[in-house]
């Protein structure tokens, strides 16, 4: 499955099949939360949270691709990611785009 952030696939004609998305809500665990609290005292990247968000993006992307495949898509154009806090200690990550069929 080809994923692009632009709205076309250069050199290809495409037919839009519909919007597809994948979401996941990921929560912090107590170990990460404690280490993050310690890291805020000295500054710098909070690697545990970076890993958590990377994992969440991968899950959301897979779910988006699965939905596109169920429509018979060859690619997803206009891919975007978003995130928001849903409650204290949990974040939602969403991946979305337009599933397309490559015509030629």
């Amino acid at each position: 499955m080809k994923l692009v952030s632009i709205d076309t696939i250069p050199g290809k004609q495409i037919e839009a099949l519909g919007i597809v998305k994948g979401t996941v809500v990921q929560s912090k665990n107590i170990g990460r939360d404690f280490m993050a609290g310690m890291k805020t005292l000295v500054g710098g990247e909070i690697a545990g949270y970076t890993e958590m968000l990377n994992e969440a993006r991968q899950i959301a992307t897979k779910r988006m691709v699965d939905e596109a495949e169920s429509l018979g898509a060859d690619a997803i154009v206009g891919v975007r990611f978003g995130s928001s806090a849903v409650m204290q200690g949990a974040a939602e990550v969403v991946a979305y785009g337009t599933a397309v069929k490559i015509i030629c």
Side-chain angles (χ1 to χ4, degrees):
M1 177 76 56
K2 185 177 203 100
L3 305 176
V4 296
S5 61
I6 56 177
D7 294 329
T8 62
I9 299 175
K12 302 290 184 186
Q13 234 184 340
I14 57 175
E15 173 190 349
L17 301 176
I19 295 172
V20 290
K21 78 326 194 174
T23 63
V24 64
V25 175
Q26 196 89 359
S27 68
K28 303 183 265 187
N29 71 35
I30 218 134
R32 280 188 182 143
D33 215 19
F34 175 75
M35 293 308 290
M38 298 303 289
K39 188 67 169 184
T40 60
L41 295 175
V42 295
E45 179 181 6
I46 302 171
Y49 286 163
T50 300
E51 291 169 18
M52 179 187 77
L53 288 171
N54 280 335
E55 181 182 328
R57 273 191 296 277
Q58 289 173 351
I59 293 167
T61 300
K62 179 172 181 347
R63 290 177 180 174
M64 176 184 64
V65 167
D66 289 346
E67 188 174 328
E69 287 174 342
S70 75
L71 296 175
D74 300 312
I76 304 172
V77 299
V79 173
R80 302 286 185 269
F81 294 95
S83 65
S84 63
V86 248
M87 58 184 272
Q88 186 172 347
E92 175 191 36
V93 173
V94 60
Y96 61 95
T98 302
V100 298
K101 189 82 171 158
I102 299 174
I103 299 171
C104 61

